[in-house]
Amino acid sequence: MRSSNGRAFQQLLRSGTSVGANYREAYRGRSKAQFIAKCGDCLREIEETAYWLELLVDAEIIPAAKTQPVRRECDELIAIFVTILKRSKQ
């Protein structure tokens, strides 16, 4: 069980930190299409981060109260990237 918890934390860390790397690539993108694609990657990674947080809470590995600030930030970032993508596609 301990190793599966470790894997869950590794996945959470990977998805959570890849958002910044993907956004940096988007910001430095060479075209609008590349910017949109990388922002889409950011959105997917944020959603994956929220998923891993939910799993860790559901498995009672982390108390829900401890994840609330991060989950709230995930929700805010999802809203921001949805807006970025909608406006960029117009």
Side-chain angles (χ1 to χ4, degrees), residues 1-12 14 56 61:
M1 183 72 164
R2 188 149 174 80
S3 66
S4 65
N5 291 352
R7 276 183 261 153
F9 282 114
Q10 285 177 337
Q11 284 299 122
L12 176 64
R14 259 189 232 120
L56 289 166
I61 296 168

Side-chain angles (χ1 to χ4, degrees), residues 2 5 14 20 26-27 29 33 35 38-39 47 53 55 59 67 69 77 82 87:
R2 188 149 174 80
N5 291 352
R14 259 189 232 120
Y27 184 74
F35 176 80
K38 282 297 174 183
C39 284
E47 290 173 341
L53 287 169
L55 285 180
T67 67
L77 286 169
V82 166
R87 289 183 181 171

Side-chain angles (χ1 to χ4, degrees), residues 37-69:
K38 282 297 174 183
C39 284
D41 292 344
C42 291
L43 182 57
R44 279 187 292 283
E45 294 295 341
I46 296 164
E47 290 173 341
E48 182 178 339
T49 300
Y51 169 76
W52 284 110
L53 287 169
E54 289 173 24
L55 285 180
L56 289 166
V57 169
D58 290 347
E60 298 179 351
I61 296 168
I62 300 176
K66 283 202 172 226
T67 67
Q68 284 305 326

